[in-house]
Amino acid sequence: MAFLINVLLTPVILRLAHRFEWYDHINDRKIHTESTPRLGGVGIFLSFVAAAIVGVTLIIGTPGIAPWSMRSVALILAGLALLHGLGLYDDFVNLRAPFKFIVQLGAGTMVALSGALLRIIDLPWIGSLELPMWLAFGVTILWVVSISNAVNLIDGADGLAGGVALIAALFMGVIALGQGSLVSAILAFAVVGSLAGFLIFNLPPARIFMGDSGSLSLGYILAVLPLLGLQRGEPGFMAIAPLPVLTLLYIPIVDTLLAIIRRLARGLPVHSADREHIHHRLIDRGVDGRRLLSVIYGMMVVFGFVATAWYEIPHEPAALLTVAVWVAILIVIIVLDNHDRPAA
């Protein structure tokens, strides 16, 4: 349903964008060479919300479904709408970073107030760790803001953010379904469908970009999905354990952390822009277009199977496998990040 809605919506958005010249104009930091329509995020948002509402409505009353209050649902949807609206406005006005950060904190607070708190954390060799409510509240807000920004920052090449988010959501859906978390699974597959419809128009050479309205919304959804668990019969217990979640979102998280370290080391503001993200480094080495996507998508699929292995083999070997893959990919990324750019 999400796929079909977005396949029908995106051409309409494209026509409107061309008519009113809603373009993402070129500059020295962007890799596209001509002005391209933006606002693909509107189709992603609308198709996801429509499919999610229908899907969750269909399973209401199913035995084992966690009891969600209308207040909780309203708060989570309000947070999503808030970030989508922020991104949409930013696509036109180019808002200042401090203002965007404040709004993102507001969206994260709505998630925490909904009851979808990051409260129970399963750690290898340690076991379950239950955070006090005040700490869980702060950690949840930080989690939502961080992942929203991480997905936003990786949106720098045709098909990149959409494909990364699709693969992460696909594996989240499979894992959630295997854990009996139907709500998380339905929402994850709604993301997959909406992004599959979008990528038809976004793969190289892209005819439309998702814009901040899409990347911020996707980051928010990917951050919230693992919190919609059914353990102990209530929301707030992760449907997907922390280690697999971090694995599925490893590339955008590490890319963001390296960007922060890089800017602080140079005495620059954390929110300052540069052209040194993972995809920029690969492009500078001649890996662009569909080859770039093949490399990043391939990494994401590896991470997806590693995350799934957490639920298929004992936790100790699964944790060792996860850490080994993390370290191997991190070494590759650091080498790319520190390697001198080739001469122009």
Side-chain angles (χ1 to χ4, degrees):
M1 178 181 177
F3 172 79
L4 291 175
I5 291 174
N6 208 11
V7 164
L8 296 174
L9 268 178
T10 302
V12 176
I13 297 170
L14 265 171
R15 286 196 293 270
L16 290 172
H18 283 300
R19 179 179 178 182
F20 295 103
E21 297 185 353
W22 293 335
Y23 296 136
D24 186 2
H25 298 288
I26 60 175
N27 60 41
D28 58 359
R29 191 174 59 86
K30 296 178 180 178
I31 66 173
H32 59 283
T33 56
E34 58 184 37
S35 295
T36 305
R38 54 183 180 232
L39 306 187
V42 174
I44 295 172
F45 172 77
L46 293 176
S47 59
F48 166 76
V49 170
I53 290 174
V54 172
V56 173
T57 300
L58 289 175
I59 65 169
I60 289 177
T62 302
I65 296 300
W68 280 83
S69 69
M70 289 302 296
R71 173 181 172 277
S72 296
V73 173
L75 282 169
I76 290 174
L77 290 178
L80 175 59
L82 180 62
L83 274 197
H84 177 70
L86 171 70
L88 188 60
Y89 192 60
D90 189 45
D91 285 332
F92 286 98
V93 178
N94 195 19
L95 296 168
R96 294 174 61 86
F99 176 79
K100 291 192 288 186
F101 181 69
I102 291 172
V103 176
Q104 290 169 346
L105 287 176
T109 301
M110 290 180 182
V111 175
L113 290 173
S114 75
L117 290 168
L118 209 170
R119 217 171 5 161
I120 302 294
I121 302 178
D122 291 323
L123 299 173
W125 304 293
I126 297 176
S128 294
L129 176 66
E130 184 166 358
L131 302 179
M133 289 296 294
W134 65 269
L135 182 57
F137 200 91
V139 169
T140 300
I141 295 173
L142 178 63
W143 169 254
V144 173
V145 172
S146 300
I147 300 303
S148 297
N149 280 299
V151 176
N152 178 248
L153 288 176
I154 205 172
D155 182 26
D158 296 353
L160 182 57
V164 166
L166 185 152
I167 296 170
L170 176 62
F171 280 99
M172 282 188 184
V174 170
I175 292 171
L177 195 61
Q179 296 301 299
S181 182
L182 294 183
V183 173
S184 292
I186 285 175
L187 297 182
F189 293 138
V191 174
V192 172
S194 65
L195 285 173
F198 169 72
L199 285 172
I200 290 176
F201 306 92
N202 184 244
L203 289 174
R207 287 182 280 168
I208 190 170
F209 298 148
M210 68 172 63
D212 283 1
S213 65
S215 58
L216 288 176
S217 299
L218 284 174
Y220 177 92
I221 295 168
L222 293 178
V224 172
L225 278 177
L227 304 180
L228 306 181
L230 297 179
Q231 289 87 338
R232 306 191 188 181
E234 61 178 286
F237 294 90
M238 296 190 80
I240 308 174
L243 206 62
V245 173
L246 294 174
T247 302
L248 289 172
L249 300 174
Y250 186 83
I251 290 179
I253 289 174
V254 169
D255 189 47
T256 300
L257 289 175
L258 288 176
I260 292 173
I261 294 171
R262 186 169 59 241
R263 292 162 189 173
L264 290 176
R266 296 173 181 174
L268 298 173
V270 171
H271 60 268
S272 61
D274 60 34
R275 196 181 180 281
E276 299 182 51
H277 292 282
I278 295 171
H279 51 279
H280 291 134
R281 293 298 195 179
L282 288 170
I283 290 169
D284 288 342
R285 281 149 188 77
V287 182
D288 57 5
R290 294 181 184 269
R291 288 191 301 163
L292 169 67
L293 297 186
S294 297
V295 172
I296 303 296
Y297 288 3
M299 290 182 182
M300 287 297 301
V301 171
V302 170
F303 283 132
F305 281 112
V306 170
T308 305
W310 175 268
Y311 299 93
E312 302 299 328
I313 62 178
H315 284 185
E316 285 75 12
L320 290 174
L321 173 64
T322 300
V323 172
V325 173
W326 281 11
V327 171
I329 299 298
L330 180 61
I331 291 173
V332 173
I333 293 174
I334 290 176
V335 168
L336 285 174
D337 198 55
N338 291 329
H339 197 283
D340 291 335
R341 291 175 179 268

